[in-house]
Amino acid sequence: MTSTVITHIGELVTNDPDRATTDDLLGIVADAAVVLDGTSVAWVGPAHEAPEADTYVDAGGRAVVPGFVDSHSHLVFAGDRAPEFAARMAGTPYAAGGIRTTVAATRAATDEELTARVAALVAEMRRQGTTTVEIKSGYGLTVHDEARSLAIARQFTEETTYLGAHVVPEGSDPDEYVDLVTGPMLEACAPHARWVDVFCERGAFDEDQAREVLAAGAARGLRGRLHANQLGPGPGVQLAAELGLVAVDHCTYLDDADVTALADSGTVATLLPGVEFSTRQPYPDARRLLDAGVSVAIASDCNPGSSYTSSMPLCIALAVREMRMTPAEATYAATAGGAAALDRDDVGRLTLGSRADLVVLEAPSHVHLAYRPGVPLVAGTWVSGLPQAS
Ligand code: NIG
Ligand code: FE
């Protein structure tokens, strides 16, 4: 096992709760160094105190942040929906039914085509600093196509989510489809999944159906998460809080009872600013959630319909500008927040023993992630102690 010291770091974001103060959420160390030993972080502190290591890397005063944890994506699909996006920008509203277009293309694709697409998107994410990604199924909607979607996703991440309950496929009876999702489809998918998810929304699945799918998933050892309150107010957020789910995602339309339920339950609210950007919906107010004591994550929701971006830096910039987060809060939400949304404490931070996943920024501080939107600021991404090819 070889050790590496990355030194001359102008600003190191650790997300270490022991270093954080009321003025510094991110536990920043200035003029810092970090030592990576094998796949883990072995030492963090001021550069002049750094121990010797086998290899020496000079960060040249650049900022280093924990690798981004993108806790919500749908990367297993074929085709794209650029014409639908163009029509939307000309005034056609977003509707859940567009998912069926991608389902048809995905079913028609070979395993090799789907795998190559996921590989390309994961590589695109890496180049933008994402070091942990969650990937959902949900564009297969048959036993075979959901199971193969998850088997493909598993080649790229442990954080795989069974989303057979994305929409009711064309021509299916809703009750019969829920029976399939909670029966044979779940049996085929559970071995490849860690999580179970439901699109709980008008036009997709209602509260009772969501309860049924989550309960069936739990009985097969899958932990629950939800898509909720994306297209309008609804029961999903409070359902997630009631069930004590780790995370509920979208949270675009919230009333006061939803916010209170999130604060009381500790369920992470995952905000997906790429969706509001790409669907022209109003952005949710992260400030309201943070001020109420809700844990907030930011993720890309990368998918061909509502948010075809793989860029966590773009999501950070949008969250700051449009959701009233500070640059520090958005950076935290895209790293430690994403880790919390996946119930992980080994990623999303740079502390003793954490996974050596980090991003070197072509910038002196994390603030530049929002201050310089659209600029490729990722100078290098390290995953499990290894620099990634750019
Ligand atoms: O997270 N909300 C449901 N599913 C995706 C959108 C899928 C699509 O439009 O293809 C989402 O936004
Ligand atoms: Fe989604």
Side-chain angles (χ1 to χ4, degrees), residues 237-263:
V237 164
Q238 290 193 47
L239 176 62
E242 177 201 315
L243 298 176
L245 302 188
V246 173
V248 56
D249 299 9
H250 285 284
C251 302
T252 306
Y253 293 91
L254 300 179
D255 63 23
D256 288 347
D258 294 325
V259 176
T260 305
L262 287 169

Side-chain angles (χ1 to χ4, degrees), residues 72 74 136 227 250 301:
H72 184 142
H74 309 244
K136 299 175 200 302
H227 280 71
H250 285 284
D301 197 10

